[in-house]
Amino acid sequence: MNLDAMLADLEDLVLCESYSSDHDAVARSARVVAAQGRRLLGADPEILVIDGVTHLLWSFGAPRVLLLGHHDTVWPVGTLREHPWSVTDGVARGPGVFDMKAGLVQLFHAAASLPSADGLSVLIVGDEELGSPTSRPLIESIAARCAAAFVLEASADGGALKTARKGISRYELIVHGRAAHAGLEPELGANAAVELAHQVLAVAAIGDQVGSSSRAGATSVTPTMLSAGTSTNTVPARARVAVDVRVPDQAAQRRVDELMRALTPRTPGVRLELRGGPNRPPLDPAASAGLFEVAVRTARELGMAPLRGVAVGGGSDGNFTAGAGCPTLDGLGAVGGGAHAAGEHVVVAEMPVRARLVAALTAYVLAGGAVGPPGGGDTTDGDPRAPGDLGDLGDAADNGRGGTHAAHGRAGTGHFGLGETGHVETGRGETGRGETGRGKTGHVETGPLEAGDTA
């Protein structure tokens, strides 16, 4: 792998800003990513525009291995003026450099060095930072047909792979009250802000019931953003709170969902509306155990430092691939730090090292190598299942190579059905006004919650 070539490609990606919520910016980024992939893979991608979001798919024969990444970032267009691209003392900086544009460069150079791409699928999505609302069905459909998924999200501290991720649920609890003049006749209003205060405490109590904590293996339930009211002299008619939930397993995810949907109003005359629900299933350690064993052996054969695996609270598209039943190894991307922060950076010397690891793992599975039963192998001694001669994984990426079995560029749009999220309304009758509120249940619709997090 040629580091100078990788850095030139990384610069091209970072200089094309790709804020997730800006569809035009994501489309521009997709063109740059597509050109890079075309040069290195020798094939045009299939361009999928779903609800305005641009995704890229390269397919080489029947899928066996999925290399997965995203080209959108959390950084609004114009951030480059404040945090410009730079490489100083072996450290690259710039918006999105760590999460996860360096990972994309590593992915392409790894794939380009393979002796054969037959059985490889490369999917680069454009909405991961928003929770992958348009790309999730595509991810799950491909992953369900693959023997392994390698996710090029940034590594954990010190280059550790991410062998488990918590599941994520996101909710928006909306209180509908009734406005009135705060000075002349406040008693005619139904104060949504007061009710929201009760509900924030009720949500915190859900956290107490499930033992809310950020530690590994624990569930966390956290009220985050709040808003209420329209002016200082008006009883608020509407208030809202966002709730972030992280869970270690699907049983905990279902339990929290049940408790959220059981919330009831305390203030006469108000109505509750709950939007959202489970967004990402947990990435269970069992889904990555077999691949992690192979990675440990492969890293040793490549002369790399010993690999570590860690569980993290943030989610990624690896949650979806694992949820689809595909063995998944995440955190194979850049080594560095500062995701979503001004100090975002990448240790550039690790880029070719990680790319070689991804190439070796991909070649192993494409060749029919067994992932093995999770936890069933020794990671310290030689193993007949381990990758053999890695000499074929050379520097083909430096000059690109002709693709084989490629699905050539057909631009178009797609519509993939999205899973529904819960929408529940409950009401409480007003006191002294001759009305009795009745809670409404069973009404379900999709909600536009932002649900991304790729820590």
Side-chain angles (χ1 to χ4, degrees):
M1 306 287 175
N2 185 299
L3 178 57
D4 289 339
M6 296 180 84
L7 284 176
D9 288 338
L10 179 57
E11 181 177 9
D12 286 344
L13 296 187
V14 173
L15 291 180
C16 185
E17 295 176 288
S18 51
Y19 182 44
S20 301
S21 297
D22 186 335
H23 289 180
D24 290 338
V26 171
R28 289 192 297 270
S29 169
R31 291 192 288 271
V32 175
V33 175
Q36 195 168 114
R38 183 181 303 115
R39 171 172 55 82
L40 289 165
L41 303 182
D44 289 318
E46 183 176 2
I47 301 171
L48 298 166
V49 181
I50 307 172
D51 293 340
V53 182
T54 308
H55 316 292
L56 302 171
L57 173 63
W58 284 263
S59 301
F60 300 90
R64 179 169 175 81
V65 173
L66 172 61
L67 297 183
L68 181 59
H70 66 89
H71 66 103
D72 62 311
T73 77
V74 300
W75 298 102
V77 173
T79 302
L80 273 169
R81 291 190 294 270
E82 302 172 11
H83 305 295
W85 159 259
S86 68
V87 181
T88 305
D89 297 328
V91 176
R93 301 181 187 277
V97 67
F98 182 59
D99 185 12
M100 58 158 284
K101 296 192 173 184
L104 294 184
V105 173
Q106 293 167 202
L107 182 157
F108 284 132
H109 282 256
S113 72
L114 295 171
S116 171
D118 191 28
L120 179 66
S121 291
V122 174
L123 177 60
I124 311 297
V125 306
D127 61 355
E128 193 275 346
E129 297 291 1
L130 298 179
S132 308
T134 71
S135 60
R136 176 178 180 174
L138 180 61
I139 294 166
E140 292 175 331
S141 174
I142 298 172
R145 293 175 284 154
C146 287
F150 297 115
V151 184
L152 275 290
E153 285 281 4
S155 67
D157 290 347
L161 303 187
K162 296 172 180 177
T163 53
R165 288 183 180 272
K166 289 184 178 181
I168 299 176
S169 299
R170 292 290 174 89
Y171 298 93
E172 181 182 34
L173 180 61
I174 302 172
V175 180
H176 298 276
R178 185 174 56 256
H181 195 289
L184 297 179
E185 45 189 12
E187 69 279 1
L188 297 183
N191 197 314
V194 171
E195 178 61 29
L196 185 66
H198 288 299
Q199 294 303 320
V200 168
L201 294 176
V203 169
I206 290 175
D208 293 339
Q209 290 182 60
V210 297
S212 183
S213 171
S214 63
R215 72 180 185 277
T219 297
S220 63
V221 181
T222 309
T224 55
M225 297 190 301
L226 300 92
S227 65
T230 56
S231 67
T232 58
N233 61 351
T234 303
V235 173
R238 194 171 189 270
R240 62 174 294 274
V241 60
V243 182
D244 178 286
V245 179
R246 306 297 167 115
V247 296
D249 52 54
Q250 290 187 329
Q253 198 162 39
R254 288 191 295 269
R255 177 58 176 154
V256 172
D257 192 63
E258 292 169 356
L259 293 170
M260 288 293 297
R261 296 185 189 287
L263 293 170
T264 56
R266 300 277 301 277
T267 303
V270 305
R271 173 173 57 87
L272 302 184
E273 176 187 356
L274 183 66
R275 296 180 178 178
N279 171 256
R280 298 182 191 270
L283 196 170
D284 189 271
S288 62
L291 287 175
F292 181 68
E293 290 179 1
V294 177
V296 167
R297 293 192 299 268
T298 304
R300 184 173 60 245
E301 293 185 2
L302 291 172
M304 295 175 58
L307 289 179
R308 295 185 302 112
V310 298
V312 297
S316 83
D317 287 336
N319 292 62
F320 297 139
T321 59
C326 181
T328 298
L329 193 57
D330 202 342
L332 285 160
V335 176
H340 299 195
E344 186 174 10
H345 65 279
V346 167
V347 180
V348 300
E350 293 293 328
M351 292 179 64
V353 177
R354 303 287 280 207
R356 282 192 289 270
L357 174 63
V358 171
L361 291 172
T362 302
Y364 169 69
V365 180
L366 287 177
V371 172
D378 182 2
T379 65
T380 59
D381 298 317
D383 189 304
R385 297 179 298 146
D389 182 7
L390 303 177
D392 290 339
L393 302 173
D395 291 328
D398 300 343
N399 300 310
R401 61 167 173 79
T404 58
H405 306 289
H408 286 282
R410 60 181 177 87
T413 61
H415 297 280
F416 296 86
L418 298 179
E420 294 185 328
T421 56
H423 173 92
V424 178
E425 299 183 3
T426 60
R428 177 169 176 172
E430 298 178 33
T431 302
R433 296 180 64 88
E435 300 179 15
T436 302
R438 184 165 57 90
K440 294 188 289 184
T441 61
H443 176 60
V444 180
E445 63 182 34
T446 56
L449 288 181
E450 293 188 359
D453 183 354
T454 57

